[in-house]
Amino acid sequence: MNISQFNRILVQTLLLPVVALGFVAVILVWQVRSAQRTVATIQASDESIAAATRAQELVVDEETGLRGYQITSDPRFLTPFSTSEPPFAEAMKLLRNNLIAQREGPAMVDAIVDAQKTWRVSYAEPLIAEIAAGGDTRDVDRNIRGKQLMDALRKSLDDVLDRESTVRAQETERWTMQVHATVEILVVLALATGIFISVFTVSRLHRVSDAYQNTLNDLRLHSQATFESEERLRTTLTSIGDGVIVCDPEGRVELLNTVAQELTGWIQDDAFHLPLEDVFRIVSEATREPVETPVARVKRLQRVVGLVDHTILIRRDGSEIFVDESGAPIYDSAGALSGIVMVFRDVTNERRAQNALLATEKLAVAGRLAATIAHEIHNPLDSVVNLLYLLKEEKDPVTSEQFLTLAQQELDRMGQVSRAMLGLYREAKTPISLNIKEMLDSVLVLVDRQLKNGMITVSRTCPEDLEIEGFPAELRQVFTNLVVNSADAAAPGGRISITAIRSTSAAQPGVAISVADTGPGIDAAALDHVFEPFFTTKGERGTGLGLWVSRGIIEKHGGTIDIHSKTGTDDHGTCITVFLPAAGPAAPRA
């Protein structure tokens, strides 16, 4: 039996009771509505009887009050007579509406109203007026006439009460018969429907049972293969070299593999159903502030999230390791989020290796500049020694003053070179305001000897007030590397152009600094790899780390570094452009 056949049987099995119950419901509704009409008639009769009874009570109160006033002449006896008119009219109105609703004319009510009005106008009110005037009201004929009018009024009320009582008794009997008929019909229909549904359902259940037994046999055949597949997946997940944490849609931990337990310091039983933030505590390396977990990012973005750089995991025992992590959502067959998986790994050794590479590049820069610095300091020092010797032998004060001035200039030159060299490696713990022109001047001082030896002309365009926030030592290292690379690329007699301009983009204001040379350029195949570590176009003279380190420093400052190069006979050369945002980098915590 396929799924469509099963669905058809299921629909038939479910639909048949619904149709049968719907038929029973229609009959019951018809019976209930008939009974409701009967009950409504009974209720209307009850209201009419109550209204007629109330009218009788009011008439009795009127007559009693009138007789008391006739005997005593005390106006207090007239209170029932004076106050009975509104409730009497209300009772008649209700009685009239009920009779009209029962498709009876208002003639009976009109007769009661006319009789009551006649009694009051022609007998009661004149009698009251005469008693108030002190007249004699013991006239037998008048009193007999008043009695006759009251008897007629009472007779009309009694007729209404008798009619409504008869109607109520008839409707009550009808309602009792309807109830009995409804019960009998319900019992018969229930028995017939139950028998029919039972027979039909049993036949369909036999078909479903046979199909279920066949499916169960198939499942037994495939269960072993499924179990073995699950075991392989579980073993793979447990043995994978990266840490894996699986969470439910709310971000609570459901599974940690072996590596994840080792890296976090938590075991599966302790971490189960805890919030991920309690088990996987990560902070920023730069700010030491808590970082949004990959699971939280997946819940917010509803997509796969990539690695986050410079993240520190605080383990359960308080120790720290550097990690890279990523996360991905898990969807069920309906497309709803059913869980989140996070993969992370320990990159502490990689970070140490990276730091070692950074140190290596600094040493390489220092090595390349060592000879230049030696010349820069040694030549002025020789000049000072010669000037001091001449000064010792010189007797003319004017000439001696000239020698002292020259010696002072050479010493200033030595101090300038020394300060530039120290500035290259003096690191700041927080970003500071940095004048771009001064920074470029210090870089050119360091490489001045190399530029002169190569007969390279340098042109610089930079506003005096161009400033950003950053780490001076790191930025000097970047631009020293860029200028040295340009000098190495430019042939003797070549040119280097350094241009710094202010970027006024509303999206991200900052400073754009370009270093361009007239060298042979870099071919397209090599241009795609220049920012990779250990890739160099200088052969044995290069380490292949300069541009890689430079890009890391620029990205740390929130900026970008781009390279463009042309090769050819007429138009050739390389231009590297560095963009540094005005805001500067975030300061790391000590």
Side-chain angles (χ1 to χ4, degrees):
M1 177 182 292
N2 56 34
I3 189 64
S4 61
Q5 293 174 329
F6 176 78
N7 289 335
R8 185 165 57 253
I9 292 175
L10 184 62
V11 170
Q12 293 174 352
T13 305
L14 295 177
L15 190 60
L16 180 63
V18 173
V19 173
L21 292 176
F23 176 71
V24 173
V26 170
I27 296 177
L28 288 178
V29 168
W30 177 74
Q31 287 293 106
V32 169
R33 287 186 175 179
S34 178
Q36 286 177 339
R37 289 193 295 269
T38 303
V39 171
T41 303
I42 295 173
Q43 291 175 342
S45 297
D46 289 339
E47 292 177 354
S48 299
I49 291 172
T53 302
R54 176 60 176 160
Q56 279 186 334
E57 294 174 353
L58 292 172
V59 168
V60 170
D61 291 342
E62 285 181 331
E63 185 181 21
T64 302
L66 180 62
R67 294 305 176 193
Y69 181 66
Q70 185 179 10
I71 295 171
T72 63
S73 300
D74 188 347
R76 288 178 294 179
F77 282 95
L78 292 177
T79 300
F81 182 85
S82 303
T83 60
S84 63
E85 189 65 20
F88 184 82
E90 185 67 26
M92 291 300 102
K93 180 180 178 181
L94 176 60
L95 188 59
R96 181 189 299 272
N97 293 337
N98 285 341
L99 290 176
I100 292 174
Q102 296 172 11
R103 298 182 180 178
E104 296 290 338
M108 298 180 71
V109 177
D110 292 341
I112 295 172
V113 173
D114 291 342
Q116 194 265 354
K117 185 176 181 180
T118 301
W119 178 79
R120 288 180 68 96
V121 173
S122 62
Y123 175 70
E125 291 177 357
L127 184 65
I128 293 172
E130 188 173 345
I131 294 173
D136 187 6
T137 60
R138 290 178 294 177
D139 184 9
V140 176
D141 292 337
R142 174 190 284 180
N143 289 327
I144 290 298
R145 181 171 172 273
K147 179 178 180 304
Q148 291 173 347
L149 293 174
M150 180 57 67
D151 290 342
L153 175 59
R154 288 175 175 168
K155 177 65 170 58
S156 298
L157 289 170
D158 289 339
D159 290 344
V160 172
L161 284 172
D162 292 342
R163 180 194 175 285
E164 292 302 319
S165 296
T166 300
V167 171
R168 187 183 189 285
Q170 292 174 350
E171 295 299 326
T172 301
E173 183 178 359
R174 179 183 298 174
W175 179 79
T176 302
M177 295 175 62
Q178 288 174 340
V179 170
H180 290 164
T182 301
V183 172
E184 292 173 358
I185 292 173
L186 182 61
V187 171
V188 172
L189 289 177
L191 289 175
T193 303
I195 293 172
F196 180 71
I197 292 176
S198 298
V199 173
F200 182 82
T201 303
V202 167
S203 66
R204 293 300 182 270
L205 286 178
H206 277 303
R207 292 184 60 185
V208 173
S209 177
D210 293 341
Y212 173 75
Q213 189 63 40
N214 293 333
T215 303
L216 190 61
N217 292 334
D218 292 338
L219 290 176
R220 288 196 183 101
L221 295 176
H222 295 290
S223 60
Q224 184 62 32
T226 302
F227 175 77
E228 293 175 357
S229 176
E230 289 180 352
E231 283 298 313
R232 285 195 296 271
L233 290 175
R234 187 178 294 106
T235 302
T236 301
L237 181 62
T238 303
S239 304
I240 195 171
D242 290 342
V244 178
I245 300 178
V246 180
C247 299
D248 62 14
E250 302 302 322
R252 294 186 294 267
V253 175
E254 290 187 341
L255 172 67
L256 287 85
N257 72 344
T258 304
V259 177
Q261 295 181 48
E262 293 175 355
L263 294 180
T264 62
W266 289 80
I267 61 175
Q268 173 68 33
D269 293 340
D270 292 346
F272 184 70
H273 255 220
L274 287 179
L276 178 65
E277 290 76 8
D278 294 345
V279 177
F280 191 74
R281 295 174 53 205
I282 53 177
V283 298
S284 170
E285 177 188 2
T287 64
R288 302 294 298 184
E289 295 295 331
V291 176
E292 186 180 27
T293 64
V295 169
R297 294 200 301 278
V298 169
K299 289 176 60 179
R300 176 167 54 85
L301 301 176
Q302 293 293 308
R303 61 176 175 81
V304 177
V305 296
L307 301 177
V308 175
D309 295 329
H310 308 297
T311 301
I312 296 177
L313 169 64
I314 302 177
R315 306 174 72 238
R316 188 176 187 181
D317 59 4
S319 58
E320 299 179 354
I321 58 174
F322 290 95
V323 294
D324 281 342
E325 75 280 351
S326 62
I330 303 173
Y331 297 106
D332 58 20
S333 58
L337 184 67
S338 62
I340 302 169
V341 61
M342 185 189 71
V343 180
F344 64 101
R345 59 192 180 92
D346 182 3
V347 295
T348 303
N349 291 334
E350 295 179 16
R351 290 300 305 278
R352 290 172 180 170
Q354 183 180 16
N355 291 336
L357 289 177
L358 291 174
T360 300
E361 171 59 13
K362 286 189 177 182
L363 290 176
V365 173
R368 286 195 299 268
L369 295 177
T372 300
I373 300 302
H375 283 291
E376 291 290 339
I377 294 177
H378 183 267
N379 291 338
L381 186 60
D382 284 344
S383 299
V384 170
V385 172
N386 292 332
L387 288 169
L388 289 177
Y389 174 78
L390 294 175
L391 182 62
K392 181 178 179 182
E393 300 295 330
E394 183 60 48
K395 304 300 182 179
D396 183 9
V398 176
T399 304
S400 297
E401 183 67 25
Q402 293 175 350
F403 289 161
L404 286 174
T405 301
L406 292 174
Q408 183 64 48
Q409 290 176 352
E410 293 299 324
L411 290 175
D412 290 341
R413 169 67 178 169
M414 293 169 58
Q416 186 180 18
V417 172
S418 177
R419 285 191 299 271
M421 189 63 182
L422 290 175
L424 179 62
Y425 293 103
R426 183 182 294 116
E427 297 185 359
K429 293 185 177 297
T430 58
I432 63 174
S433 179
L434 179 65
N435 185 280
I436 298 297
K437 184 176 182 301
E438 294 179 358
M439 179 193 69
L440 295 176
D441 287 344
S442 65
V443 169
L444 293 176
V445 167
L446 289 176
V447 298
D448 181 66
R449 177 63 60 182
Q450 181 177 351
L451 297 174
K452 288 181 179 179
N453 290 339
M455 295 180 292
I456 297 171
T457 303
V458 177
S459 64
R460 185 194 64 223
T461 303
C462 179
E464 296 283 347
D465 58 346
L466 200 58
E467 293 187 354
I468 62 166
E469 287 189 354
F471 298 95
E474 295 182 351
L475 292 178
R476 286 192 183 96
Q477 179 181 350
V478 169
F479 289 103
T480 299
N481 183 72
L482 298 183
V483 173
V484 169
N485 284 350
S486 295
D488 290 341
R495 297 186 309 275
I496 296 176
S497 176
I498 302 175
T499 304
I501 61 173
R502 179 179 287 106
S503 174
T504 58
S505 171
Q508 191 176 25
V511 174
I513 306 171
S514 299
V515 179
D517 61 63
T518 57
I522 305 173
D523 60 62
L527 198 62
D528 294 334
H529 303 282
V530 292
F531 289 109
E532 295 178 2
F534 303 112
F535 180 84
T536 180
T537 60
K538 300 180 182 181
E540 295 297 329
R541 296 185 299 113
T543 63
L545 296 174
L547 289 180
W548 175 68
V549 171
S550 297
R551 184 176 64 175
I553 293 174
I554 296 303
E555 290 178 349
K556 174 182 176 181
H557 283 72
T560 58
I561 180 169
D562 299 305
I563 183 169
H564 301 279
S565 188
K566 294 182 179 180
T567 59
T569 56
D570 296 328
D571 186 12
H572 52 79
T574 302
C575 178
I576 298 182
T577 301
V578 173
F579 174 79
L580 295 170
R589 293 178 54 178

